[in-house]
């Protein structure tokens, strides 16, 4: 079961009915009548098959075998979600059939196979592929320079991993959406891997900003055992949580009952985990500021904290904004907000670790690692 927005072209071989989901936001919460919304009918145990079929906006009875038949629905005033259901209300044995269904939109090009709420997403990922290409090239040059200076610190290595994973995820998204725009199916396995890599990038970037918030490579050259254990626990919880939610979303979610990921139960839980990590980030930053005495590094912490607090908040903010607009724009709003903020968060971090600038704030001398036999605070005057 899938949903498709705006124009519909179906080639059925069975009896089916299609019901549009109410477009406007107020009607999404308060349908004009109890049976006027898809979500009021789908999985409604109190309604019989015939009662559900009665509320179909369009229906057709097809006697198989037929091929190439279908009907179109012109919906030019505003986009609507349309759902297709196979129904045989007179059978108790269920349905066993082969079918081919194609949903299409007018406009040609990449618009044909894409639902209205997905149109523009392939172009977004393709555009950011070139931005990431520039970022990866510049960061690779910076890494070469830092290695020559023997200053390729583990904190910079984490950044390199995050940039590489994000770039790879973007490539996989481009592959999936370009194939999808061509055949209406895409490469689901490739998209699943891209989603998993995006979760991985979120975890690594969260780890990186918390390490810096705790003063590692800025105020201190090593972390206390308590801090190291807390970070390990955080990474394990986020990894297991994100992996479980990824499996839940792909294996347990009904696509006909969810508009997009961030309006599903797994999406809400990801937001909660993200907010919990943000709270720890802010607390760590506050604790480090109490110990830091150099004015320049204190200013660095304040600016750094502001930028990456926005990164943590961007998903819930985007979901709230998306909830206030038409359902057909929600997936695009959140995808664009998060994609842009992820890129700029990585680009800003890469700028901080640029070879001619990094040693102004960071202690990235050779041999500095996360684990050390000693723990404590050591200040280092900025090197200009």
């Amino acid at each position: 079961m899938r949903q498709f927005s705006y124009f519909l072209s179906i080639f059925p071989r069975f009896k089916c009915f299609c019901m549009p989901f109410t477009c406007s936001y107020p009607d999404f919460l308060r349908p004009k009548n109890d049976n006027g919304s898809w979500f009021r009918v789908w999985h409604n145990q109190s309604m019989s098959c015939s009662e559900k079929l009665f509320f179909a906006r369009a229906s057709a009875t097809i006697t198989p075998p037929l091929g190439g038949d279908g009907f179109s629905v012109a919906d030019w005033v505003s986009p609507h979600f349309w759902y297709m259901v196979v129904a045989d209300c007179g059978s108790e044995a269920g349905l066993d059939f082969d079918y081919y269904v194609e949903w299409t939109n007018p406009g040609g090009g990449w618009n044909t196979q894409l639902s209205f709420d997905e149109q523009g997403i392939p172009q977004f990922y393709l555009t950011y592929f070139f931005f990431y290409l520039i970022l990866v090239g510049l960061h690779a040059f910076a890494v070469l320079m830092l290695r020559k200076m023997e200053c390729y610190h583990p904190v910079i290595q984490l950044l390199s991993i995050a940039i590489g994973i994000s770039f790879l995820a973007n490539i996989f998204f481009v592959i999936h959406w370009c194939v999808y725009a061509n055949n209406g199916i895409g490469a689901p396995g490739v998209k699943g891997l891209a989603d998993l890599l995006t979760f991985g990038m979120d975890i690594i970037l969260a780890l990186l900003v918390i390490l810096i918030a705790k003063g590692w490579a800025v105020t201190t050259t090593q972390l206390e055992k308590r801090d190291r254990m807390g970070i390990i626990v955080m990474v394990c919880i986020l990894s297991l949580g994100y992996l479980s939610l990824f499996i839940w979303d792909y294996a347990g979610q009904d696509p006909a009952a969810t508009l997009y990921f961030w309006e599903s139960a797994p999406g809400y839980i990801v937001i909660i985990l993200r907010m919990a990590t943000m709270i720890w980030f802010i607390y760590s930053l506050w604790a480090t500021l109490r110990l830091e005495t150099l004015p320049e590094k204190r200013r660095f912490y304040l600016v750094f904290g502001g930028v990456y607090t926005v990164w943590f908040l961007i998903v819930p903010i985007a979901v709230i904004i998306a909830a206030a607009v038409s359902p057909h724009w929600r997936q695009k709003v959140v995808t664009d907000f998060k994609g842009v903020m992820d890129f700029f968060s990585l680009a800003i971090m890469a700028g901080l670790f640029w070879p001619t600038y990094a040693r102004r704030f960071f202690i990235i001398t050779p041999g500095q690692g996360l684990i050390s036999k000693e723990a404590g605070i050591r200040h280092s005057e900025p090197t200009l």
Side-chain angles (χ1 to χ4, degrees):
M1 181 64 61
R2 297 296 296 178
Q3 59 200 22
F4 196 82
S5 178
Y6 198 47
F7 181 81
L8 178 62
S9 178
I10 304 179
F11 299 91
R13 299 177 184 168
F14 39 75
K15 183 175 182 179
C16 66
F17 73 90
C18 302
M19 181 179 297
F21 169 58
T22 318
C23 174
S24 65
Y25 179 69
D27 286 344
F28 171 69
L29 291 178
R30 301 185 303 276
K32 295 179 180 179
N33 58 74
D34 289 342
N35 300 304
S37 170
W38 165 260
F39 296 106
R40 294 293 184 122
V41 176
W42 182 245
H43 285 325
N44 188 336
Q45 300 297 326
S46 65
M47 296 180 64
S48 67
C49 174
S50 300
E51 288 174 329
K52 293 180 180 181
L53 186 61
F54 175 77
F55 293 100
R57 299 293 180 90
S59 63
T61 302
I62 305 296
T63 303
L66 288 176
D69 293 331
F71 59 89
S72 63
V73 178
D75 207 355
W76 302 108
V77 177
S78 63
H80 288 79
F81 283 112
W82 286 77
Y83 299 82
M84 187 193 67
V85 173
V86 186
D88 186 358
C89 297
S91 172
E92 296 181 359
L95 295 168
D96 183 13
F97 53 88
D98 296 323
Y99 63 93
Y100 170 75
V101 180
E102 184 176 13
W103 313 69
T104 61
N105 259 318
W110 284 7
N111 290 336
T112 301
Q113 295 289 347
L114 293 173
S115 175
F116 180 82
D117 61 312
E118 298 169 336
Q119 291 177 5
I121 293 179
Q123 293 91 325
F124 171 83
Y125 283 116
L126 190 58
T127 300
Y128 269 84
F129 167 78
F130 294 103
F131 281 107
Y132 270 107
L133 204 59
I134 296 171
L135 176 61
V136 168
L138 290 174
H139 183 65
F141 173 78
V143 167
L144 288 175
M145 297 295 294
L146 290 168
R147 290 179 70 89
K148 289 181 179 179
M149 297 163 56
E150 296 185 350
C151 292
Y152 192 37
H153 191 276
V155 75
I156 309 175
Q157 295 172 24
L158 283 174
L159 174 62
S160 300
I161 294 171
I163 291 175
I165 289 177
S166 190
F167 180 50
L168 194 58
N170 185 269
I171 291 174
F172 289 156
F173 277 128
V174 169
I175 293 172
H176 165 73
W177 285 109
C178 287
V179 175
Y180 191 99
N182 182 60
N183 63 10
I185 299 173
V190 173
K191 181 180 181 297
L193 184 57
D195 287 332
L196 195 59
L197 287 172
T198 301
F199 280 154
M201 190 282 296
D202 285 347
I203 293 171
I204 293 172
L205 188 55
L207 168 63
L208 179 57
V209 299
I210 285 178
L211 285 170
I212 294 176
K214 286 188 172 295
W216 188 43
V218 181
T219 298
T220 180
T221 57
Q222 56 272 323
L223 297 178
E224 296 180 357
K225 182 178 180 180
R226 179 184 60 186
D227 290 331
R228 297 199 301 268
M229 291 303 298
I231 289 170
I232 291 172
V233 170
M234 178 207 74
V235 172
C236 290
I237 290 175
L238 288 179
S239 299
L240 291 174
Y242 278 23
L243 181 60
S244 300
L245 294 169
F246 171 81
I247 295 172
W248 182 5
D249 180 59
Y250 271 80
Q253 285 287 80
D254 183 354
T258 306
L259 286 179
Y260 71 117
F261 174 76
W262 298 105
E263 283 194 359
S264 66
Y268 293 143
I269 297 174
V270 167
I271 291 175
I272 292 172
L273 289 174
R274 195 177 178 96
M275 291 300 94
T277 309
M278 183 197 70
I279 292 171
W280 191 28
F281 165 72
I282 294 173
Y283 173 78
S284 300
L285 200 64
W286 172 78
T288 304
L289 272 171
R290 294 177 59 193
L291 298 170
E292 181 59 69
T293 59
L294 296 176
E296 188 172 21
K297 289 194 175 184
R298 289 180 63 87
R299 287 194 296 271
F300 165 79
Y301 279 124
L302 291 173
V303 175
F304 177 84
V307 170
Y308 289 95
T309 297
V310 172
W311 176 74
F312 279 111
L313 287 172
I314 196 65
V315 171
I317 289 174
V319 170
I320 291 171
I321 292 173
V325 301
S326 167
H328 311 89
W329 291 95
R330 292 177 187 175
Q331 181 177 355
K332 289 185 275 193
V333 167
V334 179
T335 298
D336 291 355
F337 268 74
K338 187 178 186 304
V340 170
M341 194 63 198
D342 283 349
F343 174 81
F344 279 102
S345 296
L346 292 170
I348 290 170
M349 191 74 75
L352 290 175
F353 287 110
W354 190 254
T356 57
Y357 192 75
R359 297 179 68 180
R360 180 177 180 181
F361 296 110
F362 296 97
I363 309 169
I364 52 174
T365 54
Q368 299 298 335
L370 178 61
I371 300 176
S372 175
K373 293 181 179 179
E374 299 178 357
I377 300 295
R378 189 190 76 176
H379 295 287
S380 175
E381 293 293 339
T383 302
L384 300 178

Short mmCIF file of all heavy atoms in Angstrom, two decimals, residues 237-281:
data_model
loop_
_atom_site.label_atom_id
_atom_site.label_comp_id
_atom_site.label_asym_id
_atom_site.label_seq_id
_atom_site.Cartn_x
_atom_site.Cartn_y
_atom_site.Cartn_z
N ILE A 237 24.05 3.83 23.17
CA ILE A 237 22.60 4.03 23.24
C ILE A 237 22.08 4.60 21.91
O ILE A 237 21.08 4.13 21.36
CB ILE A 237 22.23 4.98 24.39
CG1 ILE A 237 22.47 4.28 25.74
CG2 ILE A 237 20.77 5.43 24.30
CD1 ILE A 237 22.26 5.18 26.94
N LEU A 238 22.78 5.61 21.37
CA LEU A 238 22.35 6.20 20.10
C LEU A 238 22.44 5.18 18.97
O LEU A 238 21.54 5.09 18.12
CB LEU A 238 23.21 7.42 19.78
CG LEU A 238 22.97 8.68 20.61
CD1 LEU A 238 23.91 9.79 20.19
CD2 LEU A 238 21.53 9.15 20.52
N SER A 239 23.52 4.40 18.94
CA SER A 239 23.69 3.42 17.86
C SER A 239 22.61 2.36 17.90
O SER A 239 21.97 2.05 16.88
CB SER A 239 25.08 2.77 17.95
OG SER A 239 26.10 3.73 17.82
N LEU A 240 22.38 1.78 19.08
CA LEU A 240 21.36 0.75 19.21
C LEU A 240 19.97 1.33 18.97
O LEU A 240 19.12 0.70 18.33
CB LEU A 240 21.43 0.10 20.59
CG LEU A 240 22.67 -0.77 20.86
CD1 LEU A 240 22.68 -1.23 22.33
CD2 LEU A 240 22.70 -1.97 19.93
N GLY A 241 19.74 2.54 19.49
CA GLY A 241 18.44 3.18 19.31
C GLY A 241 18.15 3.48 17.85
O GLY A 241 17.07 3.16 17.33
N TYR A 242 19.10 4.09 17.16
CA TYR A 242 18.90 4.44 15.76
C TYR A 242 18.75 3.19 14.90
O TYR A 242 17.93 3.15 13.98
CB TYR A 242 20.06 5.28 15.26
CG TYR A 242 19.97 6.75 15.60
CD1 TYR A 242 19.20 7.19 16.67
CD2 TYR A 242 20.66 7.72 14.87
CE1 TYR A 242 19.13 8.53 16.99
CE2 TYR A 242 20.58 9.06 15.18
CZ TYR A 242 19.81 9.46 16.25
OH TYR A 242 19.71 10.79 16.56
N LEU A 243 19.56 2.16 15.19
CA LEU A 243 19.46 0.93 14.41
C LEU A 243 18.10 0.27 14.61
O LEU A 243 17.46 -0.19 13.65
CB LEU A 243 20.58 -0.03 14.80
CG LEU A 243 20.61 -1.37 14.05
CD1 LEU A 243 20.78 -1.14 12.56
CD2 LEU A 243 21.73 -2.26 14.60
N SER A 244 17.62 0.23 15.86
CA SER A 244 16.31 -0.37 16.15
C SER A 244 15.20 0.40 15.46
O SER A 244 14.27 -0.19 14.89
CB SER A 244 16.07 -0.41 17.67
OG SER A 244 17.06 -1.16 18.32
N LEU A 245 15.29 1.73 15.50
CA LEU A 245 14.26 2.55 14.87
C LEU A 245 14.30 2.43 13.35
O LEU A 245 13.26 2.47 12.69
CB LEU A 245 14.43 4.01 15.30
CG LEU A 245 14.19 4.27 16.78
CD1 LEU A 245 14.65 5.67 17.16
CD2 LEU A 245 12.73 4.08 17.15
N PHE A 246 15.51 2.28 12.81
CA PHE A 246 15.65 2.07 11.37
C PHE A 246 14.95 0.77 10.95
O PHE A 246 14.20 0.73 9.96
CB PHE A 246 17.13 2.02 11.00
CG PHE A 246 17.41 1.61 9.58
CD1 PHE A 246 17.31 2.51 8.55
CD2 PHE A 246 17.78 0.30 9.30
CE1 PHE A 246 17.56 2.13 7.24
CE2 PHE A 246 18.03 -0.10 8.00
CZ PHE A 246 17.92 0.82 6.97
N ILE A 247 15.20 -0.31 11.70
CA ILE A 247 14.57 -1.60 11.40
C ILE A 247 13.06 -1.49 11.57
O ILE A 247 12.28 -2.00 10.75
CB ILE A 247 15.15 -2.70 12.29
CG1 ILE A 247 16.63 -2.91 11.96
CG2 ILE A 247 14.39 -4.01 12.12
CD1 ILE A 247 17.34 -3.84 12.92
N TRP A 248 12.62 -0.83 12.62
CA TRP A 248 11.19 -0.65 12.88
C TRP A 248 10.54 0.09 11.72
O TRP A 248 9.47 -0.29 11.24
CB TRP A 248 11.01 0.12 14.19
CG TRP A 248 9.58 0.35 14.60
CD1 TRP A 248 8.45 -0.13 14.01
CD2 TRP A 248 9.14 1.14 15.71
NE1 TRP A 248 7.33 0.30 14.67
CE2 TRP A 248 7.72 1.08 15.71
CE3 TRP A 248 9.79 1.88 16.69
CZ2 TRP A 248 6.97 1.75 16.68
CZ3 TRP A 248 9.04 2.53 17.64
CH2 TRP A 248 7.64 2.46 17.63
N ASP A 249 11.18 1.17 11.26
CA ASP A 249 10.60 1.97 10.19
C ASP A 249 10.49 1.19 8.90
O ASP A 249 9.48 1.27 8.20
CB ASP A 249 11.44 3.23 9.98
CG ASP A 249 10.89 4.11 8.87
OD1 ASP A 249 9.73 4.54 8.99
OD2 ASP A 249 11.61 4.36 7.90
N TYR A 250 11.51 0.41 8.56
CA TYR A 250 11.52 -0.31 7.29
C TYR A 250 10.73 -1.61 7.33
O TYR A 250 10.16 -2.03 6.31
CB TYR A 250 12.97 -0.59 6.85
CG TYR A 250 13.54 0.52 6.02
CD1 TYR A 250 14.04 1.67 6.63
CD2 TYR A 250 13.56 0.45 4.63
CE1 TYR A 250 14.55 2.70 5.87
CE2 TYR A 250 14.07 1.48 3.87
CZ TYR A 250 14.56 2.61 4.50
OH TYR A 250 15.05 3.64 3.74
N ALA A 251 10.68 -2.25 8.50
CA ALA A 251 10.03 -3.57 8.56
C ALA A 251 8.65 -3.52 9.20
O ALA A 251 7.81 -4.37 8.91
CB ALA A 251 10.92 -4.55 9.34
N GLY A 252 8.41 -2.54 10.07
CA GLY A 252 7.17 -2.56 10.84
C GLY A 252 6.18 -1.47 10.55
O GLY A 252 5.05 -1.50 11.04
N GLN A 253 6.57 -0.46 9.75
CA GLN A 253 5.68 0.66 9.49
C GLN A 253 4.80 0.39 8.27
O GLN A 253 5.25 -0.16 7.27
CB GLN A 253 6.48 1.93 9.27
CG GLN A 253 7.04 2.51 10.56
CD GLN A 253 5.99 3.14 11.43
OE1 GLN A 253 5.27 2.47 12.15
NE2 GLN A 253 5.89 4.44 11.37
N ASP A 254 3.54 0.79 8.37
CA ASP A 254 2.61 0.71 7.24
C ASP A 254 2.71 2.01 6.46
O ASP A 254 2.34 3.06 6.96
CB ASP A 254 1.18 0.51 7.77
CG ASP A 254 0.17 0.34 6.65
OD1 ASP A 254 0.56 0.50 5.48
OD2 ASP A 254 -1.00 0.03 6.95
N PRO A 255 3.23 1.98 5.23
CA PRO A 255 3.39 3.23 4.48
C PRO A 255 2.08 3.94 4.18
O PRO A 255 2.08 5.14 3.93
CB PRO A 255 4.08 2.77 3.18
CG PRO A 255 3.78 1.31 3.07
CD PRO A 255 3.69 0.80 4.47
N ALA A 256 0.96 3.21 4.21
CA ALA A 256 -0.33 3.85 3.97
C ALA A 256 -0.84 4.58 5.20
O ALA A 256 -1.78 5.36 5.11
CB ALA A 256 -1.36 2.80 3.54
N ALA A 257 -0.23 4.34 6.36
CA ALA A 257 -0.69 4.96 7.60
C ALA A 257 0.25 6.07 8.06
O ALA A 257 0.03 6.66 9.12
CB ALA A 257 -0.83 3.90 8.70
N THR A 258 1.30 6.38 7.30
CA THR A 258 2.29 7.38 7.68
C THR A 258 2.59 8.28 6.50
O THR A 258 2.87 7.79 5.40
CB THR A 258 3.60 6.70 8.14
OG1 THR A 258 3.29 5.76 9.18
CG2 THR A 258 4.58 7.73 8.66
N LEU A 259 2.54 9.59 6.71
CA LEU A 259 2.85 10.52 5.63
C LEU A 259 4.33 10.51 5.30
O LEU A 259 4.73 10.46 4.15
CB LEU A 259 2.41 11.93 6.03
CG LEU A 259 0.90 12.20 6.02
CD1 LEU A 259 0.62 13.62 6.46
CD2 LEU A 259 0.32 11.96 4.64
N TYR A 260 5.19 10.58 6.33
CA TYR A 260 6.63 10.52 6.12
C TYR A 260 7.28 10.16 7.46
O TYR A 260 6.63 10.14 8.50
CB TYR A 260 7.19 11.83 5.55
CG TYR A 260 7.20 13.01 6.49
CD1 TYR A 260 8.40 13.60 6.87
CD2 TYR A 260 6.02 13.54 7.01
CE1 TYR A 260 8.43 14.68 7.72
CE2 TYR A 260 6.04 14.63 7.85
CZ TYR A 260 7.24 15.20 8.21
OH TYR A 260 7.26 16.26 9.07
N PHE A 261 8.59 9.87 7.43
CA PHE A 261 9.27 9.28 8.58
C PHE A 261 9.09 10.09 9.85
O PHE A 261 8.83 9.53 10.92
CB PHE A 261 10.77 9.12 8.28
CG PHE A 261 11.58 8.65 9.46
CD1 PHE A 261 11.55 7.33 9.87
CD2 PHE A 261 12.36 9.55 10.17
CE1 PHE A 261 12.28 6.89 10.97
CE2 PHE A 261 13.11 9.13 11.26
CZ PHE A 261 13.06 7.80 11.66
N TRP A 262 9.22 11.41 9.77
CA TRP A 262 9.23 12.23 10.98
C TRP A 262 7.84 12.40 11.58
O TRP A 262 7.71 13.03 12.63
CB TRP A 262 9.86 13.59 10.68
CG TRP A 262 11.29 13.46 10.26
CD1 TRP A 262 11.80 13.60 9.00
CD2 TRP A 262 12.40 13.12 11.09
NE1 TRP A 262 13.15 13.38 8.99
CE2 TRP A 262 13.55 13.08 10.26
CE3 TRP A 262 12.55 12.84 12.46
CZ2 TRP A 262 14.81 12.78 10.76
CZ3 TRP A 262 13.81 12.54 12.94
CH2 TRP A 262 14.92 12.53 12.11
N GLU A 263 6.80 11.85 10.97
CA GLU A 263 5.48 11.81 11.59
C GLU A 263 5.12 10.40 12.04
O GLU A 263 3.96 10.12 12.30
CB GLU A 263 4.42 12.37 10.63
CG GLU A 263 4.44 13.88 10.53
CD GLU A 263 3.18 14.43 9.87
OE1 GLU A 263 2.32 13.62 9.46
OE2 GLU A 263 3.07 15.66 9.75
N SER A 264 6.11 9.54 12.13
CA SER A 264 5.89 8.17 12.61
C SER A 264 6.47 8.04 14.01
O SER A 264 7.22 8.90 14.49
CB SER A 264 6.58 7.17 11.67
OG SER A 264 7.99 7.33 11.72
N ALA A 265 6.13 6.94 14.69
CA ALA A 265 6.65 6.69 16.03
C ALA A 265 8.18 6.64 16.04
O ALA A 265 8.82 7.25 16.92
CB ALA A 265 6.05 5.41 16.59
N PRO A 266 8.85 5.92 15.10
CA PRO A 266 10.31 5.95 15.09
C PRO A 266 10.87 7.36 14.93
O PRO A 266 11.87 7.71 15.55
CB PRO A 266 10.67 5.07 13.89
CG PRO A 266 9.52 4.15 13.73
CD PRO A 266 8.32 4.97 14.10
N GLY A 267 10.22 8.17 14.09
CA GLY A 267 10.69 9.54 13.90
C GLY A 267 10.61 10.36 15.17
O GLY A 267 11.53 11.12 15.51
N TYR A 268 9.52 10.22 15.93
CA TYR A 268 9.38 10.94 17.19
C TYR A 268 10.44 10.50 18.19
O TYR A 268 11.00 11.32 18.94
CB TYR A 268 7.98 10.72 17.77
CG TYR A 268 6.86 11.33 16.96
CD1 TYR A 268 5.64 10.69 16.82
CD2 TYR A 268 7.03 12.56 16.33
CE1 TYR A 268 4.61 11.25 16.07
CE2 TYR A 268 6.00 13.14 15.59
CZ TYR A 268 4.80 12.47 15.46
OH TYR A 268 3.78 13.02 14.72
N ILE A 269 10.74 9.21 18.23
CA ILE A 269 11.74 8.71 19.18
C ILE A 269 13.13 9.22 18.81
O ILE A 269 13.94 9.55 19.69
CB ILE A 269 11.71 7.17 19.24
CG1 ILE A 269 10.35 6.70 19.77
CG2 ILE A 269 12.82 6.63 20.14
CD1 ILE A 269 10.15 5.19 19.72
N VAL A 270 13.43 9.29 17.50
CA VAL A 270 14.72 9.86 17.07
C VAL A 270 14.84 11.30 17.56
O VAL A 270 15.91 11.73 18.03
CB VAL A 270 14.86 9.77 15.54
CG1 VAL A 270 16.03 10.63 15.06
CG2 VAL A 270 15.06 8.33 15.10
N ILE A 271 13.76 12.07 17.45
CA ILE A 271 13.78 13.46 17.92
C ILE A 271 14.04 13.51 19.42
O ILE A 271 14.82 14.35 19.91
CB ILE A 271 12.46 14.16 17.57
CG1 ILE A 271 12.36 14.35 16.05
CG2 ILE A 271 12.35 15.51 18.27
CD1 ILE A 271 11.03 14.92 15.59
N ILE A 272 13.42 12.62 20.19
CA ILE A 272 13.63 12.58 21.64
C ILE A 272 15.09 12.27 21.96
O ILE A 272 15.72 12.92 22.82
CB ILE A 272 12.69 11.55 22.29
CG1 ILE A 272 11.24 12.02 22.19
CG2 ILE A 272 13.07 11.32 23.76
CD1 ILE A 272 10.23 10.97 22.62
N LEU A 273 15.67 11.28 21.27
CA LEU A 273 17.08 10.95 21.48
C LEU A 273 17.98 12.14 21.12
O LEU A 273 18.96 12.43 21.82
CB LEU A 273 17.46 9.74 20.63
CG LEU A 273 16.89 8.38 21.05
CD1 LEU A 273 17.23 7.32 20.01
CD2 LEU A 273 17.43 7.97 22.41
N ARG A 274 17.62 12.83 20.07
CA ARG A 274 18.41 13.99 19.63
C ARG A 274 18.34 15.10 20.68
O ARG A 274 19.36 15.75 20.98
CB ARG A 274 17.86 14.47 18.29
CG ARG A 274 18.75 15.43 17.53
CD ARG A 274 18.12 15.76 16.20
NE ARG A 274 18.90 16.71 15.45
CZ ARG A 274 19.78 16.39 14.51
NH1 ARG A 274 19.99 15.13 14.20
NH2 ARG A 274 20.46 17.32 13.86
N MET A 275 17.17 15.33 21.25
CA MET A 275 17.02 16.36 22.27
C MET A 275 17.76 16.00 23.55
O MET A 275 18.34 16.86 24.22
CB MET A 275 15.53 16.59 22.56
CG MET A 275 14.76 17.24 21.41
SD MET A 275 15.40 18.88 20.96
CE MET A 275 16.54 18.42 19.63
N ALA A 276 17.73 14.72 23.92
CA ALA A 276 18.46 14.29 25.11
C ALA A 276 19.97 14.50 24.93
O ALA A 276 20.66 14.95 25.85
CB ALA A 276 18.17 12.82 25.40
N THR A 277 20.47 14.20 23.73
CA THR A 277 21.89 14.43 23.44
C THR A 277 22.21 15.91 23.47
O THR A 277 23.28 16.32 23.96
CB THR A 277 22.25 13.84 22.06
OG1 THR A 277 21.80 12.48 21.99
CG2 THR A 277 23.74 13.88 21.83
N MET A 278 21.31 16.76 22.98
CA MET A 278 21.53 18.20 23.00
C MET A 278 21.64 18.72 24.42
O MET A 278 22.48 19.58 24.73
CB MET A 278 20.40 18.91 22.25
CG MET A 278 20.58 20.42 22.16
SD MET A 278 19.07 21.30 21.74
CE MET A 278 18.13 21.10 23.25
N ILE A 279 20.79 18.22 25.32
CA ILE A 279 20.83 18.66 26.72
C ILE A 279 22.19 18.33 27.34
O ILE A 279 22.78 19.15 28.06
CB ILE A 279 19.69 18.01 27.51
CG1 ILE A 279 18.34 18.57 27.03
CG2 ILE A 279 19.85 18.24 29.01
CD1 ILE A 279 17.14 17.83 27.58
N TRP A 280 22.69 17.13 27.06
CA TRP A 280 24.01 16.77 27.58
C TRP A 280 25.10 17.65 26.96
O TRP A 280 26.05 18.04 27.64
CB TRP A 280 24.29 15.29 27.30
CG TRP A 280 25.50 14.76 28.03
CD1 TRP A 280 26.01 15.21 29.21
CD2 TRP A 280 26.36 13.71 27.60
NE1 TRP A 280 27.13 14.50 29.56
CE2 TRP A 280 27.36 13.57 28.59
CE3 TRP A 280 26.38 12.86 26.50
CZ2 TRP A 280 28.38 12.62 28.50
CZ3 TRP A 280 27.38 11.91 26.41
CH2 TRP A 280 28.36 11.79 27.40
N PHE A 281 24.96 17.96 25.69
CA PHE A 281 25.92 18.84 25.01
C PHE A 281 25.96 20.21 25.69
O PHE A 281 27.04 20.73 25.99
CB PHE A 281 25.51 18.98 23.54
CG PHE A 281 26.18 20.11 22.80
CD1 PHE A 281 27.52 20.04 22.47
CD2 PHE A 281 25.45 21.23 22.44
CE1 PHE A 281 28.15 21.09 21.79
CE2 PHE A 281 26.07 22.28 21.75
CZ PHE A 281 27.41 22.20 21.43
#
